[in-house]
Amino acid sequence: AVTHSIARVDGLLSVQGAESPTERAARKRMRERGEDILKELDQLRMSILTGTMTLGQVIDIADVVASQRERVSDPRLTAILDEIDLRAQIEIAKARKALEASH
């Protein structure tokens, strides 16, 4: 699911056209932000696969998504970021519940 979302984010960022230098600069910044999110997601995916995922990594990706959400105008990309954020928030809630149960 994460790989599919990564591909969709990458595709959406790469096809957004711009005509003016201002729009090109905005698209470049959006692509850089998307690449940051993809990098974080890839690191998280590798951690999940190796069994070394930490709560800090989940919080980091939630923070990256939250910091970028307001800067994204494409509704499809916003929906993908919302999905990533929801999954991260679920993992954070599960970790909190497990921590509370252990005390």
Side-chain angles (χ1 to χ4, degrees):
V2 172
T3 304
H4 188 263
S5 291
I6 290 171
R8 290 190 335 199
V9 170
D10 191 40
L12 288 171
L13 291 175
S14 66
V15 298
Q16 291 187 356
E19 297 173 352
S20 73
T22 302
E23 289 173 335
R24 275 193 294 275
R27 185 180 68 188
K28 180 181 177 190
R29 284 190 307 274
M30 186 179 297
R31 180 173 287 127
E32 289 170 354
R33 288 183 204 120
E35 288 172 1
D36 289 344
I37 293 170
L38 293 173
K39 182 180 174 185
E40 291 290 331
L41 284 172
D42 193 46
Q43 290 174 353
L44 184 60
R45 180 181 60 86
M46 289 305 296
S47 296
I48 290 169
L49 292 173
T50 60
T52 59
M53 183 180 76
T54 66
L55 179 58
Q57 287 175 303
V58 176
I59 292 171
D60 287 347
I61 192 66
D63 288 346
V64 169
V65 170
S67 70
Q68 303 304 323
R69 180 179 285 138
E70 291 180 14
R71 300 176 186 178
V72 175
S73 59
D74 186 309
R76 295 173 296 170
L77 186 52
T78 300
I80 292 168
L81 292 175
D82 289 344
E83 182 180 331
I84 293 167
D85 184 53
L86 176 61
R87 290 174 188 246
Q89 295 305 323
I90 289 169
E91 291 302 320
I92 292 168
K94 288 183 345 187
R96 284 186 182 143
K97 186 174 180 177
L99 184 62
E100 290 171 1
S102 68
H103 285 138

